[in-house]
Amino acid sequence: MFSNEFSPTQPVILGFDPGKDKCGVAIMGLDRQLHYHQVVPSPEAIATINILRQRFPVSLLVMGNQTTAKRWKQQLQQELVEAVNIVLVDERYSTLEARDRYWQMYPPQGLTKLIPQGMRQPPRPIDDIVAILLIERYLSRLTE
């Protein structure tokens, strides 16, 4: 899901929400401009990141600090074509926050609008939105 065919020249941050079966990946500029987001199967995550790094000037990889973070960080450091700085950010409550953000990005249509937001389930995995939130949390920490 590329926002457009424009490739930024300014450094961008790659957000990564790793999981056992699927991973969320996002690319965002320091200006909080979103350039890419996608949910990919876990076995394809590192290949996807390598491809994105050929396309975008990624200066940093930001990922959540929970359960599988250590193992993934090690795997990334071993398998990425070029080394990248990896920063871990607090990912508590990010899934709940991502659900709300999903409905902001994709307002409900039809009957879904009648269901209270807290009870609505997004119709697709939202790991990519978690990756977006991780980047935003990192950027907010920088400006605090």
Side-chain angles (χ1 to χ4, degrees), residues 1 60 80 83:
M1 289 192 208
L60 188 67
L80 286 177

Side-chain angles (χ1 to χ4, degrees), residues 47-59:
T48 302
I49 291 170
N50 279 322
I51 291 165
L52 288 170
R53 291 185 67 205
Q54 289 167 16
R55 237 192 116 154
F56 294 98
V58 174
S59 61

